[in-house]
């Protein structure tokens, strides 16, 4: 990793540690914790009311994503699902409910403060088929071929090594496994400089791939059935988008 990438990753870690602490230290006022994301394009407002109501207030308040990946991934009873960049744990808790006691939801995050918040939220939610792991999405600390589904919510744009993330998603999935991701994606005409004019890196804008770059990156990692569909605009020419893809049953030998 270059010094510049390491600095950027540390800036991202600090930014999200501060978000976690804002919720953790927000106290227990009668109205519950203040949401860390107040822009309606991101965060808890993007979940259905019945899902929000069934979760600890702190899990909803900490939501920083750009959609609802557990719904996008169409999870089934008994599946093993991994959430990359799980933050305060909202998508892990929702996934755990969808896969039921015969399945399991894993959350992976590099930020200690987020992991502590997620564990506290898991306790409050009383959900047991969950495990939170500390680590980086570019080097997932799980064996190959162990997950049925990989989800992620507005995190891959923050990675300084997106090819590594795509390769790791492919590696941990079982043959036939799938991804159901929400991410910020740029119109193909926008240069990296134009993306950076629309928002900063830690705010999930400047590091976004274009639709074509996302497609090509997933394809290079070995994924098939790749679909990208914008859901709503988050800046001029930048969108929250659903990303779906499949690891083929007959993956190339030596891959995954
Ligand atoms: C925008 S927040 C999204 C959190 C969560 N997915 C949600 O929807 O609320 C980004 C999260 O990804 C984590 N993160 C960012 N880059 C990461 C990396 N390279 N490896 C692991 N975690 C990362 C941050 O610590 C933070 O918790």
């Amino acid at each position: 990793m270059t010094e510049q990438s390491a600095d950027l990753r540390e800036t991202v870690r600090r930014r999200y540690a501060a978000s976690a602490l804002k919720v953790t230290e927000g106290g227990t006022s009668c109205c519950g914790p203040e949401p860390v994301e107040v822009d309606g394009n991101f965060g808890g407002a993007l979940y259905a009311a019945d899902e929000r109501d069934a979760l600890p207030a702190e899990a909803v308040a900490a939501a920083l994503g750009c959609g609802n990946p557990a719904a996008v991934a169409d999870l089934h009873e008994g599946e093993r699902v991994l959430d990359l960049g799980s933050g305060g744990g909202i998508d892990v808790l929702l996934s755990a409910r969808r896969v039921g006691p015969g399945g399991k939801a894993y959350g992976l995050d590099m930020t200690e403060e987020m992991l502590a918040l997620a564990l506290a939220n898991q306790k409050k939610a009383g959900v047991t088929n969950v495990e939170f792991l500390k680590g980086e999405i570019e080097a997932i600390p799980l064996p190959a071929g162990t997950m049925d589904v990989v989800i992620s919510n507005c995190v891959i744009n923050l990675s300084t090594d997106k090819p590594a993330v795509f390769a790791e998603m492919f590696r941990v999935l079982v043959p036939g496994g799938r991804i159901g991701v929400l991410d910020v994606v740029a119109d193909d005409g926008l240069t990296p400089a134009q993306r950076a004019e629309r928002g900063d890196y830690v705010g999930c804008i400047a590091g976004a791939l274009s639709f074509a770059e996302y497609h090509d990156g997933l394809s290079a990692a070995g994924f098939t059935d790749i679909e990208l569909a914008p859901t709503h605009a988050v800046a001029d020419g930048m969108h929250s988008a659903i990303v779906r893809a499949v690891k083929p049953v007959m993956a190339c030998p030596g891959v995954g």
Side-chain angles (χ1 to χ4, degrees):
M1 194 194 300
T2 65
E3 202 176 315
Q4 195 188 4
S5 299
D7 287 351
L8 203 45
R9 188 167 299 180
E10 178 56 15
T11 307
V12 168
R13 194 197 60 73
R14 281 202 203 140
R15 153 74 163 82
Y16 290 103
S19 296
L21 290 177
K22 191 173 166 199
V23 174
T24 311
E25 294 168 358
T28 52
S29 80
C30 61
C31 304
E34 282 287 308
V36 286
E37 185 56 78
V38 288
D39 177 341
N41 290 321
F42 297 93
L46 299 172
Y47 294 82
D50 60 333
E51 286 184 311
R52 286 199 307 262
D53 293 348
L55 289 169
E58 290 80 0
V60 180
L64 288 159
C66 42
N68 182 347
V72 162
D74 188 23
L75 299 176
H76 304 300
E77 290 264 336
E79 288 188 316
R80 294 155 297 171
V81 53
L82 168 67
D83 181 20
L84 299 183
S86 43
I90 186 166
D91 299 315
V92 176
L93 298 179
L94 290 173
S95 297
R97 294 219 168 104
R98 284 178 188 251
V99 299
K104 189 159 174 182
Y106 295 82
L108 173 66
D109 206 287
M110 67 177 179
T111 305
E112 283 282 358
E113 293 82 348
M114 274 297 185
L115 288 164
L117 176 59
L119 281 170
N121 287 334
Q122 179 197 348
K123 218 172 188 181
K124 283 182 196 138
V127 180
T128 53
N129 57 334
V130 157
E131 187 171 338
F132 288 102
L133 306 166
K134 183 171 183 206
E136 294 177 349
I137 63 175
E138 297 82 0
I140 298 173
L142 285 170
T146 51
M147 294 294 126
D148 299 297
V149 186
V150 174
I151 63 169
S152 186
N153 197 354
C154 223
V155 177
I156 295 172
N157 66 80
L158 293 168
S159 174
T160 54
D161 188 353
K162 292 167 180 77
V165 178
F166 295 149
E168 280 292 87
M169 287 161 65
F170 192 89
R171 182 184 68 79
V172 299
L173 281 170
V174 295
R178 62 193 188 280
I179 66 167
V181 165
L182 267 298
D183 207 359
V184 174
V185 182
D187 279 344
D188 286 330
L190 288 185
T191 64
Q194 288 170 325
R195 297 172 213 174
E197 282 164 14
R198 284 155 173 77
D200 62 8
Y201 197 94
V202 293
C204 297
I205 302 292
L209 295 174
S210 70
F211 286 94
E213 289 163 351
Y214 224 116
H215 187 285
D216 292 352
L218 288 170
S219 180
F223 285 100
T224 59
D225 302 287
I226 300 164
E227 292 170 23
L228 288 117
T231 58
H232 58 278
V234 296
D236 182 21
M238 314 276 303
H239 314 267
S240 169
I242 294 169
V243 184
R244 291 192 180 97
V246 174
K247 174 171 174 170
V249 176
M250 295 293 285
C252 293
V255 179

